[in-house]
Amino acid sequence: MGDDHHHGPLAHHFDALEQQSQAATLGMWLFLATEVLLFAGLFCAYTVYRATHPEVFEFASKYLDTKWGAINTVVLIASSWTVALAVRSAALGQRQKTSILLVLTLFGAAAFMGIKGVEYSHKFHRDLVWGLYFNPENAKPHQEQIEAWKKEWAREKAHEGYGEEEIAIRPASADYGARDPELSPPQSSAVPIPPLQPAGSAQAHDDETVGPVYYSLDKVRNVHQFFGIYFCMTGLHALHVIVGAIVIVWILLRNVRGDFTPEYHTPVHLAGLYWHLVDLIWIFLFPLLYLIG
Amino acid sequence: MSLDSPNSYLKKTHCILGYKGQTGILSYLLTLDHKRIGVMYLISTMTAFLVAGLLALGVRTELLSPEKIMVTPQQYNRMFTLHGAIMIFLFIIPSVPAALGNIILPIMLGAKDVAFPRLNLLSYWLWIVGAVTALVAISQGGIDTGWTFYTPYSTSARPGVIAMAVGVFILGFSSIFTGLNFMVTMHKLRPPGMTWFRMPLFLWALYATALMQIIATPVLGITVVLLGVENIMGVGIFDPKLGGDPVLFQHFFWFYSHPAVYIMIVPGFGIISDVISIHARKHIFGYSFIAFSSVAIAILSFLVWGHHMFTSGQSTVVNVIFSALTFTISIPTAVKIYNWIATLYKGSIQFTTPMLYALAFIFLFTIGGLTGFPLATLATDVHLHDTYFVVAHFHYVMMGGLVIAMLAGLHHWWPKFTGRMYSETWGRVACALIFVGFNITFLTQFLMGAQGMPRRYYTYVPEYQIYHQTSTAGSYVLGLGFLVMLLYLVHSLFKGRPAPANPWGGATLEWRCSSPPRYDNFETTPTVGDPYDFSDLRYDPSIGGWISNDAPVAAGKAS
């Protein structure tokens, strides 16, 4: 059996391009299923640790910059859109347009990785990392961060119907650095805070509604639990972005070479599917990591 | 081509051991042909089997006495860990699907190849890379965690664990790609007439296996990635020192590894269904029940992982649920056993070597299955957990089950893909040795396990010595059986009688093409009928094989 009657992209064991394309597409979907299951392990770990340490997760999530996360979400969704258009233009045989759209998708990937890099370097600078290398001393929130949290807290309280003066009497010393510079003594696990009474009520509230607990030492001490998961999830995702970008570069080169026709453009389609998966996983990661605080 | 006699055909062209003009080693290593990839898998996995088997003999030899015989306790721990890890990840999981499945599946289906031949080759090379990585683990001092790599012991920065985790991850992808390839092949490459319910039961079994490989293996992938990351970077997911939960590792691990035992055994079920029907010359009993029971096992296998963790501090409610779900697995399994026995009933049973293995399988697997009940029962499991009873149970299922089934399949299809017949006499001798040796080895382990001998121990109190010595003696008989098998199989490659196209009288498609098959399997796409209807076949003594009633003078036997 030689390859002497080689019919372009049709492999010898298929009868028709249609059948070959269907097989490849089914294979890709199955592969995507395995990718989802690969991430499922991490989502499961996330669920377990968030269920057992909800306060750590909610607090630690505040360290993430929602702005960057949101921009990255938009970037990825936009790149998903351009790759979808690329698949369409490949199906229509518009070679040049396909190339342009693939390049745009690559820009999206690069932008995402750039922003991710900025975020990661912020975290690394402050040792906001996983268990072994985590340094709670450096993880203490900065003054401006505390100010931002204070404002956010005041906004929330105002929204809940507290009077302005009640919010205003919160002592400035309630922040961490002024009161308790040492992390080591375990007895001062939370910054002592005078109780705050809501308007028209003399009742003391439970921990969650009492006072501006911007953070406590326990929480700072444990944020590495969150960041362990954070770096595993976003790291694996970033790896997928890189792999996806490499695949798209390869598809782009093949497109420039003129491999694809309206009859045969399955690889573009499959690369697009893969890129959508990368996008989809981020769409779950963003709220679970950034928006829970 | 079918006009040639097998012998001249073998010499002329398209031999599995060298297609015309393609006999070099590279033509093998870079081949895209499913049969050759299957043969490479077969050689590689059998090599792994040999290595792991020798390790097992080493373990058994050391246990002849509670004192040191040849290795230190530390070396002993490494030996049984490697025995388990190599057997599981390098041999049992790929043995039937990747080796026999690759060779047989496309031919049985009537296809020219699997859907993705390049992926198939990649999968093989991933296996090799995974195996080499495991060697790196050994060179780094080996691992002594047991094949389950339980945390936190495995997270204490052991270099061997990191290499082994990388190796297992790579092997996992090898397995995923095989499963994915097979599933797509069965969906998209069935020729006209090959409906789902005309597929031989081996294919149904491979389909169920592929389903499990695709769904379960990625979870193993992420588990060993996290284990490796935990070891390298201390990420704090499994390590309690850093706030992690070691029991979570057990959940992750068994979420894969319980389906994995069905990844191992279900293809064996498929082989047995085909072998029993063909060698009993009788239509398989309860075809659709056997087919669906494979799928049922595949689904249920995902719901029972907690039964490995009855003593890990799970809540009682969880334990009761997992125990109950575990019992339900016995239903589809028993459906298969009863259907096989019903197939044998009033069949004209030919005691060929494959059939002897199939009968041994039914016997051994039933013991293995029934001894699962006391382990699935909460009260008795507390006593039997981590004793030799468990060791004996899973060896009855894995070795008495899958390995014996694999040998049945190997002997059944050996003439097909090598084009040579092996010696029936020696085949039966080896089968008897393996059967007897196996039972001596592992029945004694049930006894000492029930009396409390813990597994994995280097030493023991004198009361257990007689059991250990009996078990070790049995393992030598077992080893001898495999040695005999190796000798006559290799002998057959060079001196064996050329095999006819259909030596056993099978009605499935692989018996319609020549032995060995040509490069793209069939000259013309074959017509598909009932895979278990033997009425169309008759024995032709002149070629020592079976031919179709319709084509009496075809195949040019006169030459």
Side-chain angles (χ1 to χ4, degrees), chain B residues 134-167:
Chain B
L135 283 180
V136 172
I138 299 169
S139 72
Q140 288 178 327
I143 50 167
D144 56 0
T145 60
W147 76 276
T148 50
F149 318 119
Y150 269 15
T151 54
Y153 185 61
S154 60
T155 53
S156 332
R158 289 172 159 72
V161 173
I162 298 172
M164 206 63 179
V166 173

Side-chain angles (χ1 to χ4, degrees), chain A residues 1 12-15 19-20 22-28 30-31 33-35 37-42 44-45 48-49 53 130-133 224-225 227-229 231-232 236, chain B residues 14 22 112-117 169 173 176-177 180 183-184 187-189 214-215 218-219 221-222 226 229 232-238 242-245 248 252 518-520:
Chain A
M1 223 35 223
H12 84 101
H13 56 295
F14 287 105
D15 296 331
Q19 184 196 24
Q20 180 174 338
Q22 277 183 7
T25 311
L26 178 63
M28 191 64 190
L30 288 175
F31 179 69
T34 70
E35 288 278 17
L37 282 154
L38 187 75
F39 276 95
L42 286 173
C44 178
V48 168
Y49 289 122
H53 309 283
W130 52 88
L132 195 58
Y133 301 107
H224 65 85
Q225 275 200 322
F227 281 104
I229 296 273
F231 278 103
C232 283
L236 189 63
Chain B
H14 300 326
Q22 298 183 26
K112 289 178 182 163
D113 206 322
V114 293
F116 310 117
F169 181 80
F173 267 87
I176 287 174
F177 289 152
L180 190 152
M183 193 176 253
V184 175
H187 270 281
K188 297 294 176 193
L189 288 181
I214 290 171
I215 296 178
V219 179
I222 193 68
L226 289 176
V229 169
I232 298 166
M233 306 202 300
V235 81
I237 292 192
F238 296 138
L242 303 169
D245 182 357
L248 187 67
F252 275 24
R518 47 185 272 149
Y519 179 72
D520 51 2

Side-chain angles (χ1 to χ4, degrees), chain B residues 271-310:
Chain B
I271 293 175
I272 297 301
S273 304
D274 275 7
V275 168
I276 282 191
S277 175
I278 290 175
H279 294 264
R281 315 296 314 140
K282 186 154 167 275
H283 195 287
I284 191 83
F285 185 88
Y287 172 92
S288 54
F289 273 84
I290 297 183
F292 281 122
S293 65
S294 292
V295 180
I297 289 172
I299 295 166
L300 285 174
S301 72
F302 286 97
L303 308 175
V304 299
W305 81 89
H307 70 213
H308 293 271
M309 300 164 63
F310 284 157

